[in-house]
Amino acid sequence: MRYIKTILLMVIDLFLVNMGFLLAINVTSSENFTEIATIYTNDFIMVSLIFAISFYIFRLYNSLWDLTGTDEFILGVSGGVIAGIISIGYTRFLGSTIPINVCVVGTVISICLVIGLRILYRIYRRALLYIPYKNSPDQKRVMIVGAGSAGTMIINEMLSRRDLKYNPVVLVDDDRYKRNKRISGIKVEGNRYDIPQLAKEKDIDIILIAIPTLDAKNKNDIIDICTKAHCRVQIIPGMFEIISGNATVSRIKDVELEDLLGRDQVKLDNDGISSYLNGKNILVTGGGGSIGSELCRQISSFDPNLLIIFDIYENSAYDIQNELKAKYSQLNIKTLIGSIRDEKRLEEIFKTYEIDVVFHAAAHKHVPLMEDSPKEAVKNNVFGTFNLAKQADKNNVKKFVMISTDKAVNPTNIMGATKRLCEMIIQAMNKESNTDFVAVRFGNVLGSNGSVVPLFKRQIAEGGPVTVTHKNITRYFMLIPEAAQLVLQAGAFAKGGEIFVLDMGSPVKIYDLACDLIRLSGFQPNKDIKIKFTGLRPGEKLYEELLMSEEGLSSTAHNKIYIGKPTFESFERLEIKLKMLENLLKENDNNKIKNMMGDIVPTYHRVINDEVALDNE
């Protein structure tokens, strides 16, 4: 079918070329029209062949008529000019007597007819599609932010594919030169600050940000302005989409809170990371979780000799295994199921695989759940880490990197206290071992399992209410890939005993985060979607800290990674306390466990949240 269309188009073009030459004869030699036309009929086959070959070489038949644009125009003109020059050469040197002025004028008219037909077809298609859909209620009225290459690509596809139900209505761009100009018929009517007003005037449903080169600050500013328009906000992912020519409607995504976080891309010392990962046997505990799976993705790009994904939950481990096998066909992956509580299972793994580097991301992390099950938090987080650390030491692992949390700083809940105790374990172990034991401490990651973002999205989809524990509660946030990259970078800096603290930026109010997410969904907070305050949960603080007062901070070669001053604990004394805690686990007394944790972790102070008043204003 494709070849039939090509042949048909070629026949039409040759008909137009010959019509062009006949018109040229009429224009230039009207008194001798019959005589010159007779001469031309002897050579029209050769002229037609020259133009057909030239148009084919210039790929005029590889373009879509309804998307005819600048490229097709340039190719058509170039092909026509070259064909005209060859035709003139043919008439001069191969015995033809077609006048040279006929060849020149005929070439110009032929190019106009061939390109003009394509332009007329595009106009016809645009009118055919536009008129029935212009005021159709099922068409989403779209404002495009950015009158550049990406915006042009998007508008052209929207106009040519009305089945996508996008109706581009207006453009905005900060470039004053583009003001009042039109792109594919869509007028540039303002800059970023005009977005709310234009959205109201034009009855906009969707605002699409089509500027893939935006830095974090400008992106955040524009998104913040867009949220005031009470429209759904969408965005083109990035510059790669333009380079690859894939800035299409199918690539558009809703603006996420990740886009609002305003964090620039992390720059890594890839040589330093590669030096301790390339060709090594690497174990990732909790490898199926949010952070663990992203660590596996990042590690895979550094070509390890063996990547071991270790997790107790088989489904998530299976998912990341399949994902990595599809992307890295040569990667040597071993997926093992088991628990870090099981010391014998860990012993089998370390003896079998001669592990060089451990990334320890396995942990119970949900604060309210652990308050009700403190024994499980201690068993998994504390003694699981202790088991793993002992095996790493025993089997001469080179580096042991543990994922910690800001909740370990002056903890008010059992989960945070167990993670602080884990930090104490690895610092104490480091003094006794040849293995470099370190911890990396950071706050919440957006989109991780059990985080507020998926919960808020689900609540908005259900029509609300969105539940926030307290109006003034704040948290630090970063992106999952960013966290994983910085963990790998911290591992490259590790010399043993450090607690690396990641730059989390400024804390974010959860209430503001909920409002932003509601606005990004095209609703108004507390009008379309209610926000309900539920009270702080057991063990939950209004704000988190990243550093204890006695730790201090020193910088590293990376501007987003700092080192907290070591606060070592004697390994012998710590081991005695851990033995006492282990014996206490045999009893069914949660208060005794929490009290014992308070004795071991001096900074742990339990909080009774019932005493914290709700701020429902």
Side-chain angles (χ1 to χ4, degrees):
M1 187 66 181
R2 176 186 170 188
Y3 296 108
I4 295 174
K5 288 183 178 179
T6 300
I7 292 169
L8 179 60
L9 181 55
M10 189 176 289
V11 169
I12 293 171
D13 283 346
L14 295 182
F15 172 77
L16 294 175
V17 167
N18 285 285
M19 285 295 296
F21 271 80
L22 291 174
L23 286 171
I25 294 170
N26 187 55
V27 170
T28 61
S29 308
S30 56
E31 66 281 357
N32 300 321
F33 178 81
T34 305
E35 179 185 345
I36 303 299
T38 302
I39 295 172
Y40 178 72
T41 56
N42 295 326
D43 295 305
F44 87 93
I45 294 177
M46 181 58 69
V47 172
S48 299
L49 187 61
I50 290 169
F51 273 86
I53 293 173
S54 183
F55 285 156
Y56 184 82
I57 290 173
F58 279 84
R59 296 178 296 175
L60 211 59
Y61 304 111
N62 292 339
S63 303
L64 297 174
W65 283 30
D66 52 339
L67 294 178
T68 298
T70 305
D71 290 344
E72 286 73 21
F73 178 80
I74 292 172
L75 289 172
V77 171
S78 301
V81 169
I82 295 300
I85 292 171
I86 295 172
S87 297
I88 292 171
Y90 166 72
T91 62
R92 299 280 68 79
F93 303 111
L94 295 178
S96 175
T97 56
I98 302 174
I100 191 169
N101 60 341
V102 170
C103 289
V104 172
V105 176
T107 297
V108 173
I109 296 175
S110 297
I111 291 172
C112 291
L113 291 174
V114 168
I115 300 302
L117 180 65
R118 284 161 170 76
I119 293 173
L120 285 172
Y121 182 78
R122 181 172 180 176
I123 292 171
Y124 161 75
R125 287 280 296 172
R126 184 72 58 84
L128 192 67
L129 290 165
Y130 187 70
I131 294 170
Y133 289 102
K134 182 178 180 181
N135 299 311
S136 176
D138 65 341
Q139 293 290 301
K140 299 296 183 183
R141 296 174 62 82
V142 182
M143 174 190 292
I144 312 289
V145 181
S149 302
T152 302
M153 290 181 191
I154 292 295
I155 290 172
N156 286 338
E157 187 177 8
M158 287 179 177
L159 292 174
S160 64
R161 292 192 56 194
R162 288 295 179 171
D163 58 300
L164 297 173
K165 302 193 182 305
Y166 284 99
N167 180 22
V169 174
V170 64
L171 275 159
V172 297
D173 198 288
D174 288 342
D175 187 346
R176 281 186 288 182
Y177 173 76
K178 295 178 181 178
R179 188 71 178 263
N180 296 320
K181 301 294 192 300
R182 290 181 181 271
I183 294 178
S184 297
I186 309 303
K187 189 177 180 181
V188 180
E189 298 193 32
N191 58 32
R192 69 175 71 179
Y193 303 106
D194 298 314
I195 288 173
Q197 179 184 345
L198 285 171
K200 185 177 181 181
E201 290 176 1
K202 305 289 184 180
D203 195 21
I204 298 298
D205 299 305
I206 295 173
I207 300 173
L208 173 61
I209 301 170
I211 315 174
T213 55
L214 273 179
D215 58 32
K217 182 182 183 305
N218 277 299
K219 181 193 286 187
N220 194 48
D221 288 346
I222 290 175
I223 292 173
D224 186 53
I225 293 169
C226 290
T227 59
K228 296 172 183 175
H230 309 305
C231 301
R232 186 177 176 186
V233 185
Q234 296 187 315
I235 193 167
I236 294 228
M239 190 61 200
F240 174 76
E241 309 297 330
I242 302 302
I243 295 171
S244 62
N246 288 328
T248 63
V249 173
S250 62
R251 299 278 178 165
I252 293 171
K253 69 181 184 72
D254 286 337
V255 169
E256 304 285 357
L257 286 170
E258 287 90 332
D259 299 300
L260 278 174
L261 203 56
R263 301 184 72 90
D264 290 314
Q265 184 176 358
V266 175
K267 295 179 181 178
L268 299 177
D269 172 18
N270 288 320
D271 291 338
I273 296 172
S274 181
S275 66
Y276 81 99
L277 296 182
N278 182 259
K280 301 296 194 300
N281 294 346
I282 300 168
L283 170 67
V284 180
T285 69
S290 303
I291 295 296
S293 61
E294 185 60 31
L295 280 171
C296 290
R297 292 184 189 97
Q298 303 284 345
I299 291 166
S300 298
S301 65
F302 289 95
D303 195 22
N305 178 62
L306 172 65
L307 173 61
I308 302 172
I309 302 169
F310 184 66
D311 204 300
I312 195 169
Y313 184 49
E314 60 181 297
N315 290 346
S316 58
Y318 180 72
D319 288 342
I320 186 62
Q321 170 197 267
N322 289 344
E323 178 187 329
L324 294 178
K325 281 185 175 180
K327 187 172 183 180
Y328 302 96
S329 57
Q330 302 302 315
L331 182 65
N332 185 14
I333 305 177
K334 196 75 179 176
T335 303
L336 303 175
I337 303 303
S339 171
I340 55 174
R341 298 185 188 186
D342 188 343
E343 196 167 4
K344 289 198 175 296
R345 176 61 169 149
L346 293 177
E347 187 176 1
E348 292 170 359
I349 293 170
F350 278 87
K351 281 186 177 179
T352 304
Y353 296 105
E354 299 181 354
I355 294 164
D356 298 300
V357 182
V358 172
F359 289 96
H360 177 33
H364 286 325
K365 67 175 186 177
H366 292 287
V367 169
L369 296 182
M370 293 305 102
E371 285 301 296
D372 292 333
S373 304
K375 285 204 300 184
E376 300 308 305
V378 171
K379 287 178 188 176
N380 195 67
N381 294 1
V382 176
F383 289 103
T385 298
F386 194 38
N387 292 339
L388 196 64
K390 287 189 293 185
Q391 289 301 320
D393 170 54
K394 184 178 177 180
N395 291 275
N396 298 311
V397 168
K398 293 180 178 62
K399 288 181 187 284
F400 184 106
V401 182
M402 187 193 83
I403 307 302
S404 190
T405 171
D406 55 358
K407 293 175 178 61
V409 182
N410 300 321
T412 58
N413 53 70
I414 194 67
M415 193 285 283
T418 60
K419 294 300 283 185
R420 174 57 192 153
L421 182 48
C422 289
E423 293 179 350
M424 295 164 64
I425 289 171
I426 66 108
Q427 286 194 319
M429 286 287 294
N430 188 72
K431 293 190 70 177
E432 307 291 324
S433 174
N434 292 323
T435 300
D436 293 332
F437 286 92
V438 300
V440 181
R441 186 190 290 165
F442 51 89
N444 299 275
V445 286
L446 282 179
S448 64
N449 295 330
S451 70
V452 294
V453 175
L455 172 63
F456 286 172
K457 285 183 177 180
R458 187 168 63 251
Q459 290 174 335
I460 291 169
E462 293 170 355
V466 171
T467 56
V468 177
T469 57
H470 194 284
K471 191 170 185 177
N472 295 322
I473 193 168
T474 64
R475 290 293 181 265
Y476 289 97
F477 285 99
M478 71 191 322
L479 310 181
I480 293 176
E482 180 185 9
Q485 289 167 355
L486 291 175
V487 167
L488 296 186
Q489 185 68 77
F493 295 152
K495 290 181 171 57
E498 302 100 331
I499 293 180
F500 291 97
V501 180
L502 303 188
D503 177 8
M504 298 293 298
S506 301
V508 177
K509 287 184 70 172
I510 301 299
Y511 175 76
D512 292 343
L513 186 146
C515 290
D516 285 337
L517 193 54
I518 291 169
R519 291 191 190 101
L520 290 173
S521 302
F523 303 108
Q524 294 187 50
N526 292 316
K527 183 177 180 182
D528 303 315
I529 302 288
K530 295 293 184 183
I531 297 177
K532 178 182 178 182
F533 299 104
T534 59
L536 292 176
R537 298 171 297 181
E540 190 172 41
K541 291 193 286 187
L542 274 177
Y543 61 92
E544 300 290 2
E545 306 161 85
L546 289 169
L547 201 68
M548 295 188 297
S549 58
E550 69 270 21
E551 287 178 319
L553 267 187
S554 59
S555 61
T556 67
H558 197 284
N559 64 349
K560 289 193 175 183
I561 302 176
Y562 300 88
I563 301 176
K565 186 172 64 180
T567 53
F568 292 115
E569 173 78 16
S570 163
F571 183 75
E572 291 78 11
R573 288 172 54 197
L574 185 59
E575 205 169 20
I576 292 170
K577 291 179 180 179
L578 287 174
K579 189 65 179 176
M580 295 169 61
L581 181 61
E582 188 176 25
N583 290 332
L584 200 58
L585 292 176
K586 298 172 184 176
E587 301 183 27
N588 187 27
D589 193 325
N590 289 342
N591 278 324
K592 282 186 178 181
I593 291 170
K594 291 181 179 181
N595 290 336
M596 184 65 189
M597 284 295 297
D599 291 338
I600 303 174
V601 181
T603 55
Y604 172 38
H605 301 288
R606 294 168 64 184
V607 170
I608 307 301
N609 287 327
D610 293 340
E611 298 173 1
V612 180
L614 287 178
D615 183 358
N616 285 306
E617 296 179 3

